Amino acid sequence: MNKKKIRKNNFITYGMVLAVYAIAMLMQMTGHMSSLMKGLLVPLCIYVILAVSLNLVVGILGELSLGHAGFMCVGAFSGAFFSMCTKDAMPDALRFLIALIIGAVVAAACGILIGIPVLRLKGDYLAIVTLAFGEIIKNLVNVLYIGRDSNGFHFSMKDMMALGMEPDGVVIINGPQGITGTPGDSNFTIGVVLVMITLFIVLNLIDSRDGRAIMSIRDNRIAAESIGINITKYKLMAFTIASSIAGVAGVLYAHNLSTLTALPKNFGYNMSIMILVFVVLGGIGNIRGSVISAVVLTLLPELLRGLSDYRMLIYAIVLIVMMLFNWAPKAIEFRERYSIKRLIHKNKAKEEQ
């Protein structure tokens, strides 16, 4: 694919995100959006960021990772911890920006630490180890107690009383109860800006020399190694970037809640699987598809809420239909035969005759 066509496809993706943002803001200003839908706008951005970043590992690198929620958890708690420690010490915008950077850096560091030994594994082994990492992180956070008083920080993995703080002490991370009182700095506009930055980073990486090296490893590891491509370097690069972006999504998530807890439903195995579903249904390696599937599959259960008992049945049917439409050989053949581009070219050929 030539550079002009790649640039055009990228601009279509950016334009699609901006169009959705403009429509959502217009609906809010005219009062045509319910409070329930307003509450979904920031989670929508979070899921898009997570889906795009995981597609970098699963689709572009070709490795199966089931621990993406773990990196999100690391970013969420490190960013929220910083915000709680500096709640009254700096302006909100600056504090949130630094929290995003801290979440990204800590998640990237975890990505490097996990990636160095793990990326030597392949297939199911890699999936199992990344899954274990996600569960370990969640369980570690649930036994972590950190407080601060006039003498500084106190740390314990037993209970809150074991911190031994002065009467003026404040517990920041309270084990299974997590962090309470995180500043609500997240909003839809910031979420869309972070989505755009994520798309810019991932799309430009894919179209770069490094991106082509990563894709060559996915397509044929032996051939890539034979022409001098450093397999470990590029696999670690993709894994670290994806982990860092997941950490940013975690910070956005943490600052959208008043109480942050490491529960199975938000940082567990099911969250990682849900993000993987977004990637698979949108098309493995298809960044725009990940954006669309994350939006559709997040909104669909809420749009069908009025159908009560039947909504999850319809949701399951939609998942099956999307899977068949994306991956069934006959469906792929049908899409290619009746695609808009093909029909336009056919009409032009008829006009020229």
Side-chain angles (χ1 to χ4, degrees):
M1 192 181 290
N2 58 50
K3 288 186 177 181
K4 189 175 180 181
K5 195 171 182 180
I6 290 170
R7 201 175 293 117
K8 181 183 176 182
N9 283 335
N10 291 352
F11 278 121
I12 289 171
T13 306
Y14 299 142
M16 184 180 68
V17 173
L18 292 174
V20 171
Y21 173 71
I23 292 167
M25 293 303 290
L26 186 63
M27 288 177 69
Q28 280 194 60
M29 287 187 289
T30 55
H32 288 87
M33 184 177 287
S34 65
S35 57
L36 182 66
M37 290 300 293
K38 286 178 184 176
L40 281 175
L41 292 177
V42 175
L44 207 64
C45 297
I46 293 165
Y47 291 138
V48 169
I49 293 169
L50 289 168
V52 170
S53 60
L54 183 60
N55 209 344
L56 181 60
V57 175
V58 177
I60 309 305
L61 179 59
E63 298 288 357
L64 180 59
S65 172
L66 295 178
H68 216 54
F71 297 111
M72 179 188 174
C73 181
V74 168
F77 275 89
S78 57
F81 180 79
F82 171 80
S83 292
M84 290 296 292
C85 291
T86 58
K87 204 169 184 179
D88 302 316
M90 59 178 66
D92 294 349
L94 179 61
R95 183 187 63 230
F96 185 59
L97 178 62
I98 297 173
L100 286 170
I101 294 169
I102 288 173
V105 170
V106 174
C110 289
I112 293 170
L113 290 173
I114 299 299
I116 290 172
V118 164
L119 290 174
R120 298 179 185 277
L121 304 172
K122 299 178 186 177
D124 297 341
Y125 300 104
L126 175 63
I128 291 167
V129 174
T130 51
L131 171 63
F133 163 74
E135 293 301 307
I136 289 168
I137 288 295
K138 176 174 64 67
N139 290 322
L140 276 176
V141 170
N142 280 328
V143 297
L144 192 63
Y145 296 84
I146 298 178
R148 185 177 64 171
D149 60 11
S150 55
N151 295 322
F153 289 99
H154 299 261
F155 169 84
S156 172
M157 295 185 76
K158 186 180 179 183
D159 54 37
M160 189 174 66
M161 300 305 295
L163 291 173
M165 293 190 296
E166 299 293 329
D168 64 336
V170 177
V171 178
I172 300 174
I173 301 180
N174 190 14
Q177 296 179 28
I179 298 176
T180 304
T182 309
D185 296 327
S186 295
N187 58 52
F188 184 47
T189 301
I190 292 173
V192 171
V193 170
L194 293 175
V195 167
M196 294 294 285
I197 292 171
T198 300
L199 287 170
F200 180 80
I201 292 170
V202 173
L203 290 173
N204 280 279
L205 174 64
I206 293 169
D207 300 333
S208 68
R209 183 178 177 181
D210 291 336
R212 289 190 290 273
I214 291 167
M215 286 185 283
S216 71
I217 296 169
R218 175 197 65 190
D219 295 335
N220 195 319
R221 180 192 176 101
I222 296 171
E225 200 166 12
S226 68
I227 60 171
I229 292 175
N230 189 328
I231 304 293
T232 304
K233 171 190 169 183
Y234 287 108
K235 287 178 76 172
L236 191 61
M237 177 192 293
F239 196 73
T240 304
I241 292 172
S243 304
S244 178
I245 295 172
V248 169
V251 176
L252 189 65
Y253 178 84
H255 288 76
N256 190 48
L257 302 170
S258 57
T259 302
L260 178 66
T261 54
L263 299 173
K265 67 178 181 180
N266 51 7
F267 296 123
Y269 170 76
N270 288 334
M271 173 63 84
S272 294
I273 292 298
M274 186 176 73
I275 302 164
L276 184 61
V277 168
F278 295 154
V279 173
V280 173
L281 291 181
I284 295 175
N286 186 343
I287 302 300
R288 193 187 306 162
S290 294
V291 175
I292 294 169
S293 65
V295 171
V296 171
L297 295 179
T298 303
L299 292 179
L300 195 61
E302 302 306 325
L303 294 174
L304 297 173
R305 190 170 287 278
L307 296 173
S308 187
D309 296 336
Y310 297 102
R311 71 187 183 96
M312 293 314 293
L313 175 63
I314 296 171
Y315 181 72
I317 291 170
V318 170
L319 284 177
I320 293 168
V321 170
M322 287 180 67
M323 180 67 78
L324 291 173
F325 183 75
N326 279 328
W327 298 106
K330 289 293 181 183
I332 294 170
E333 185 182 327
F334 177 84
R335 291 207 315 270
E336 290 175 351
R337 184 180 298 173
Y338 296 103
S339 66
I340 296 171
K341 287 183 181 179
R342 187 182 177 88
L343 292 173
I344 291 170
H345 287 310
K346 193 179 284 186
N347 290 332
K348 283 184 179 179
K350 285 180 180 179
E351 288 173 3
E352 288 175 0
Q353 288 175 0

